[in-house]
Amino acid sequence: MAYRDKYEVLGVIVALATNGLSVYKKGDDEGQISGGSIGDIVVRTKGEDGFASVSIIGEQEWEAMPQNEAAEAEMKQAASGAKNLAPELAKAKNEIERLKAEILEAKGEAERFKEECANLQDRISEAAGENMVLSQKVSQLEAENKKLKEAAKKAEKSKDNAPKANEPQGLNLGGNE
């Protein structure tokens, strides 16, 4: 496998020249090369006997290339760890979906409860209105009852004060007094 530390980066292709060559740049250094696309990396291969050839590596390929063998091992270990985490991630996603469903169900229950509360509030208001009407009716009946009792007392008093038919009335019929 190729590693970044086996190459010297000469620059990144930033433009296409009018002569058909690609212009690459690294800091203030600039050069031209045949081929490549904007964003590609221009490198020189490091050989045992010094620097050998200049080539172009695609941007994505360069990004995926490990720095050295140790970095590659680390990348593989990270990828393995990611594979091991995949089932846990799937479980977590399922749990999230289950909790979302529970939340939706709870929201539905809350809405039903709100409606029920509103209905009960309406019934309480109706009952309070009926209670007020009945209280007024009771007050009217109590007032009538009081009047009737007073009238009954007056009638009783009038009856007591009225002359009785068999009793002498205190009339003087010419007798001795």
Side-chain angles (χ1 to χ4, degrees):
M1 175 172 229
Y3 302 106
R4 286 187 190 185
D5 65 355
K6 301 287 183 197
Y7 299 99
E8 175 189 8
V9 176
L10 299 177
V12 177
I13 297 176
V14 293
L16 299 176
T18 55
N19 61 5
L21 296 175
S22 299
V23 177
Y24 63 90
K25 210 172 186 186
K26 179 179 178 186
D28 291 334
D29 295 335
E30 192 174 287
Q32 291 187 349
I33 190 167
S34 177
S37 301
I38 294 177
D40 288 348
I41 314 302
V42 178
V43 296
R44 190 176 311 172
T45 307
K46 295 180 183 177
E48 304 259 337
D49 56 345
F51 296 107
S53 64
V54 174
S55 59
I56 299 171
I57 299 177
E59 183 179 11
Q60 290 178 335
E61 184 183 346
W62 182 258
E63 291 299 320
M65 187 183 297
Q67 183 66 30
N68 51 37
E69 286 183 53
E72 180 183 23
E74 203 173 296
M75 286 172 63
K76 285 182 180 178
Q77 186 177 8
S80 173
K83 285 180 185 175
N84 292 340
L85 291 176
E88 291 299 318
L89 179 61
K91 284 181 189 176
K93 284 181 178 179
N94 288 338
E95 184 66 11
I96 288 169
E97 291 303 315
R98 186 187 66 75
L99 291 172
K100 281 181 181 178
E102 280 185 27
I103 288 169
L104 287 175
E105 185 179 331
K107 282 181 179 179
E109 287 179 25
E111 282 301 314
R112 285 190 297 279
F113 182 71
K114 283 169 73 176
E115 288 176 15
E116 192 174 318
C117 286
N119 290 340
L120 288 172
Q121 191 63 41
D122 290 346
R123 288 175 50 196
I124 288 171
S125 295
E126 280 180 30
E130 290 173 11
N131 188 30
M132 185 186 296
V133 168
L134 290 174
S135 294
Q136 289 172 347
K137 191 73 168 174
V138 166
S139 294
Q140 288 174 351
L141 290 173
E142 286 176 342
E144 281 184 40
N145 189 30
K146 186 176 179 183
K147 286 179 185 177
L148 288 173
K149 283 182 179 179
E150 287 175 6
K153 280 184 184 178
K154 283 184 184 178
E156 190 66 34
K157 281 186 181 179
S158 294
K159 185 178 167 188
D160 288 344
N161 291 338
K164 294 185 180 165
N166 293 343
E167 278 184 21
Q169 299 271 331
L171 295 174
N172 192 358
L173 297 174
N176 293 343
E177 242 188 75

